[in-house]
Amino acid sequence: MKFTHPRLIIYSLTLLWLAPVPASAVSMDFVKLLDNIIAQQPEQQVRKGVQEVYNANKEFSDSWIAGDVDLIVHHENDSLTDNDNYQNWQVGVEFPLWLPSQKNAQKQIANSYGQEATAQQTYLRWLASDTLRKLVWRFQTAKIKVNAARSSLKKSQDLEHKVAQKVSAGESPRIDLLLAKKAVLKQQNQLVQKQSALTIAQNLFQKWTQSRQLPKNIKERPLSPIVMEQHPKIVKLLSGLQLSQAQLQKTRSFKQDSPRLFLGAQNDKDRNSENSSLIFEVSIPLGMNPAYSPKLAAEKRNIYEQQAIVDRAKIQLEQTIFKAQQTLASAKQGIHFSKQQYDISQQALRMSETAYQLGETNIQNLLLVQQQTAEAKLNYQLIQARSGQAIANLNQVSGHILEAQQ
């Protein structure tokens, strides 16, 4: 019975070509942080395990013995029966031998483990890229918020100083100074909160990267998704599928058990003579192993299930990539609108400050316009950061590993 399926192909080494693609215009000091993250990945233990399995199977496939070696000792003595002083001693070793198809199947399994080790290494580097991208943009966003809070506090303090002068000159009521002081206290409290969030982001960044400084040039350029079969996640899944297919081929090759070879020596002794001889014996199984069919069926099922996982992962990645593209497009449009809102807010603030100095408006209106301007500026800066983060996320889900620009 031959098992075929149009989708269950054995992927060649070309599908596991994992040369990294330059993914960004980021600086080298940014990319160097990737190695620090990789060194701390808990998943690196899994990679070591895969490498050990590959080495063991490679050594096994290079062996000319297909299994364990049995030591056999045989002795005959008629002292309790005929008592003719007959004795027979036989000592030897017995072990299975590879059939050509079995040898090739085992080599294919070893190769599959080697490809899995390569795929695992690249997959973990891709995961490390995701961690680093998230860390730097969380750090950058926290810094933007702290700088914005400091700027707002400075403007509130400047306004408080001007209001104090107007109150001293009798040009404004004392309530204006109280409201200005209240605004300063509010900005001081917000600055403390933003600094706390920045400290948390910096601490997490340092824990993973062993650096406290945010690298320069963290903004990437958007790249098109790579071929799905070369996406690190898909390559990793395909390597598992290929390993199962190699195991299926090995099971087919063991439809009949391996032949066994016995090498030994024999000594026969009676009253009149004593003879010694060498023994060479080969046993060749006939018929099919009764456990073959159930095992073959179970492995076929496993392959179908793994193929389904690969297909589902492709669909999910395509949806994730499309969503990331839409998020980036939305962020780019948001930059334009936020810039317009910020420009208008600045004009309104200048007009409100002039009107307050001339006594044409009250302090409440000026504080409100000042707050709206600060929010518009912060939104403009944040939407720019979100655009950079959206590019990084798009490159990540598209399968691009962080690399310095060539």
Side-chain angles (χ1 to χ4, degrees), residues 93-310:
V93 292
E94 185 180 51
F95 47 85
L97 298 175
W98 293 110
L99 291 174
S101 60
Q102 295 171 349
K103 184 77 168 179
N104 292 334
Q106 180 58 41
K107 285 185 175 295
Q108 183 59 45
I109 287 180
N111 292 337
S112 297
Y113 275 117
Q115 293 170 11
E116 183 184 23
T118 303
Q120 181 77 9
Q121 182 177 7
T122 303
Y123 176 71
L124 293 181
R125 191 170 183 84
W126 177 68
L127 290 183
S129 295
D130 182 47
T131 300
L132 182 55
R133 282 166 167 144
K134 290 178 178 177
L135 287 172
V136 295
W137 284 108
R138 179 179 178 180
F139 196 173
Q140 175 69 3
T141 300
K143 287 182 63 176
I144 290 174
K145 291 180 179 180
V146 167
N147 292 335
R150 286 199 184 110
S151 178
S152 296
L153 177 59
K154 181 65 169 55
K155 289 185 179 298
S156 295
Q157 291 173 334
D158 291 343
L159 179 60
E160 179 189 9
H161 180 69
K162 293 178 182 179
V163 171
Q165 291 178 336
K166 288 175 67 67
V167 171
S168 297
E171 298 176 1
S172 297
R174 289 188 59 81
I175 186 65
D176 285 7
L177 182 58
L178 292 175
L179 292 174
K181 287 181 178 294
K182 181 180 178 182
V184 170
L185 291 173
K186 179 181 178 181
Q187 294 299 330
Q188 288 176 333
N189 181 54
Q190 290 183 350
L191 177 58
V192 170
Q193 294 178 0
K194 302 305 180 185
Q195 286 176 330
S196 176
L198 175 60
T199 301
I200 294 173
Q202 186 180 36
N203 179 265
L204 186 60
F205 179 81
Q206 182 181 8
K207 179 180 179 181
W208 279 101
T209 66
Q210 308 301 309
S211 173
R212 290 184 61 85
Q213 298 299 322
L214 189 67
K216 298 179 180 179
N217 302 328
I218 64 173
K219 187 173 182 179
E220 305 176 36
R221 63 171 183 265
L223 298 175
S224 301
I226 64 176
V227 177
M228 190 61 70
E229 277 70 21
Q230 292 182 2
H231 192 289
K233 183 175 182 178
I234 299 302
V235 170
K236 177 178 175 294
L237 293 175
L238 289 177
S239 68
L241 176 60
Q242 181 178 354
L243 179 59
S244 295
Q245 292 170 336
Q247 186 61 51
L248 177 65
Q249 290 301 113
K250 182 177 179 179
T251 299
R252 284 175 170 164
S253 69
F254 277 88
K255 184 176 182 179
Q256 289 182 322
D257 289 337
S258 301
R260 299 184 66 85
L261 174 64
F262 176 82
L263 298 175
Q266 177 175 295
N267 178 266
D268 291 299
K269 180 181 179 182
D270 56 26
R271 292 177 178 176
N272 301 319
S273 64
E274 181 176 355
N275 296 313
S276 297
S277 60
L278 298 177
I279 301 175
F280 174 84
E281 180 181 293
V282 177
S283 60
I284 301 177
L286 299 177
M288 184 178 69
N289 188 332
Y292 170 76
S293 295
K295 188 174 181 180
L296 186 68
E299 291 180 359
K300 288 180 182 179
R301 175 185 174 181
N302 181 49
I303 290 176
Y304 282 124
E305 290 175 347
Q306 290 194 45
Q307 182 66 64
I309 292 174
V310 172

Side-chain angles (χ1 to χ4, degrees), residues 141-142 144-145 377-387:
T141 300
I144 290 174
K145 291 180 179 180
K377 180 181 179 180
L378 177 59
N379 288 336
Y380 176 52
Q381 293 174 334
L382 288 179
I383 196 66
Q384 288 179 304
R386 291 192 189 105
S387 176

Side-chain angles (χ1 to χ4, degrees), residues 152 155-156 159 183 186-187 341-356 360-379:
S152 296
K155 289 185 179 298
S156 295
L159 179 60
K186 179 181 178 181
Q187 294 299 330
Q341 291 176 347
Y342 178 44
D343 292 340
I344 294 174
S345 297
Q346 286 182 306
Q347 296 176 18
L349 179 59
R350 288 192 294 266
M351 295 173 62
S352 296
E353 290 174 340
T354 301
Y356 178 72
E360 297 176 355
T361 187
N362 56 38
I363 189 67
Q364 290 92 337
N365 289 334
L366 178 56
L367 290 173
L368 178 61
V369 173
Q370 189 178 70
Q371 178 184 353
Q372 291 174 341
T373 303
E375 291 176 351
K377 180 181 179 180
L378 177 59
N379 288 336

Side-chain angles (χ1 to χ4, degrees), residues 48-97:
K48 292 179 181 179
V50 173
Q51 186 65 42
E52 290 177 0
V53 173
Y54 163 69
N55 293 337
N57 277 271
K58 179 66 168 58
E59 182 179 355
F60 184 41
S61 65
D62 292 337
S63 172
W64 58 279
I65 298 177
D68 196 10
V69 178
D70 298 329
L71 174 65
I72 299 177
V73 178
H74 175 79
H75 175 61
E76 296 180 30
N77 193 319
D78 69 347
S79 60
L80 298 178
T81 55
D82 297 335
N83 197 20
D84 290 333
N85 199 25
Y86 173 77
Q87 293 185 12
N88 173 271
W89 283 95
Q90 188 179 101
V91 179
V93 292
E94 185 180 51
F95 47 85
L97 298 175

